[in-house]
Amino acid sequence: GKKGARKIKLKTLHWHKLPAAKCRTTVWADLASHNNLVNTAELIELFPLNPPTPHNMSTPKTSKKAARVTLLDPKRAQVVEIMLSRFRLPLHKLAEAVKNLDGSELSADDVDSMQKCIPTEDELAALQAYEGDTDALAHADLFFLHLGAIPRLEQWLACFHTLLSFPAQMAELLEAVRIAVMACSEVHSSKHWKDLLATVLAVGNALNDGTFAGNACGFQLSVMGQLQDVKTSDNSSNLLRYVVQLLQREAPQVLDFVHDL
């Protein structure tokens, strides 16, 4: 006969359900059914649908500190002064290193901090119109004057940052690609990992029964990192712990998947 509708609604596991056509050419086509591991009564007890409890967070108040007299806005000058405190070079040498794209004097992080403190046209106009003794200006003002002499400063700093950061970014990317290729090979050959996916699929389909997300043949693996976000009704546990406890009880060998990777 037709299966009756479940009276108690459960929390939804928000996965990206794969179309059946895509499942046929992926690891999901090789999985054996693990529906027999699912205990619906347990799921109803642990994961009934409850509205989230809001937590009111108070926003800490920030205190204002007095800044030196400057042609710049006091808060703006303070931010620039804090940024400049990381450098030991005199201001004119600092600007010279930027102009010469001198990577021996400045790092990618140094240039990144400068990119966040680029003088505006109005600030430069005010500083360039100043007729007093420039030695009396604050460090932030002098820094802006020196940098303002570099044409197309924003684009110049962006190019400088790329020049300095490219080797590290390339090395990091190549290492990430190497690890990804190796991980894909290990995951694809692990039977225990496939059994784990099948178990999560079975539990997720039980939770999502009667919804569009139910009756899935597979899911995007990003949901594996979200299992802990599905809390039990008393917030003492979550779906990740439940799946682990279920496997410890019913198929403990599956948890050995970590040794396959």
Side-chain angles (χ1 to χ4, degrees):
K2 188 176 180 180
K3 185 179 177 180
R6 187 171 58 204
K7 294 182 179 179
I8 299 178
K9 291 185 177 181
L10 301 180
K11 293 186 176 182
T12 300
L13 177 56
H14 296 286
W15 57 24
H16 293 282
K17 179 178 174 181
L18 298 179
K22 287 190 176 181
C23 289
R24 287 196 292 269
T25 58
T26 65
V27 66
W28 300 107
D30 300 330
L31 302 188
S33 173
H34 281 51
N35 289 336
N36 60 307
L37 297 183
V38 177
N39 187 323
T40 304
E42 277 187 339
L43 294 178
I44 290 175
E45 178 184 354
L46 295 172
F47 301 101
L49 182 62
N50 283 323
T53 303
H55 297 283
N56 294 324
M57 301 285 291
S58 58
T59 303
K61 296 181 179 179
T62 56
S63 59
K64 297 181 180 179
K65 294 177 69 176
R68 291 184 298 175
V69 175
T70 172
L71 297 181
L72 303 176
D73 174 80
K75 290 184 179 179
R76 167 77 158 160
Q78 185 180 27
V79 170
V80 178
E81 292 277 0
I82 292 173
M83 184 273 295
L84 288 174
S85 65
R86 69 183 289 150
F87 300 107
R88 299 196 177 200
L89 288 174
L91 294 180
H92 70 283
K93 289 287 187 182
L94 190 58
E96 186 177 308
V98 172
K99 185 176 180 180
N100 295 332
L101 302 177
D102 190 350
S104 66
E105 293 286 3
L106 298 172
S107 67
D109 287 341
D110 292 334
V111 177
D112 180 64
S113 67
M114 290 187 196
Q115 286 180 287
K116 299 172 183 175
C117 294
I118 295 176
T120 65
E121 291 183 5
D122 290 341
E123 288 169 337
L124 283 177
L127 289 167
Q128 290 166 354
Y130 177 69
E131 297 180 351
D133 184 5
T134 55
D135 291 337
L137 290 175
H139 269 53
D141 300 60
L142 286 173
F143 175 68
F144 276 3
L145 273 177
H146 286 300
L147 280 190
I150 300 174
R152 285 178 285 205
L153 176 63
E154 185 174 356
Q155 293 84 351
W156 190 268
L157 286 173
C159 292
F160 193 13
H161 185 269
T162 299
L163 180 67
L164 293 174
S165 61
F166 184 81
Q169 289 180 352
M170 176 60 73
E172 183 178 349
L173 180 60
L174 290 175
E175 177 65 8
V177 170
R178 185 191 69 79
I179 292 173
V181 171
M182 183 175 64
C184 287
S185 176
E186 292 180 351
V187 166
H188 189 71
S189 62
S190 171
K191 180 184 181 303
H192 291 143
W193 170 251
K194 292 178 181 178
D195 289 338
L196 173 63
L197 292 180
T199 301
V200 174
L201 179 64
V203 171
N205 275 329
L207 284 173
N208 296 338
D209 185 38
T211 70
F212 173 78
N215 197 29
C217 64
F219 53 81
Q220 292 185 10
L221 296 185
S222 58
V223 78
M224 299 294 285
Q226 300 167 15
L227 298 180
Q228 61 185 359
D229 297 332
V230 183
K231 304 294 184 181
T232 56
S233 58
D234 60 0
N235 285 324
S236 65
S237 189
N238 55 57
L239 189 56
L240 176 61
R241 289 184 179 178
Y242 173 75
V243 170
V244 172
Q245 291 167 356
L246 174 65
L247 289 171
Q248 286 174 334
R249 187 175 67 225
E250 303 292 342
Q253 72 280 1
V254 174
L255 297 177
D256 290 335
F257 78 93
V258 293
H259 301 300
D260 299 341
L261 306 178

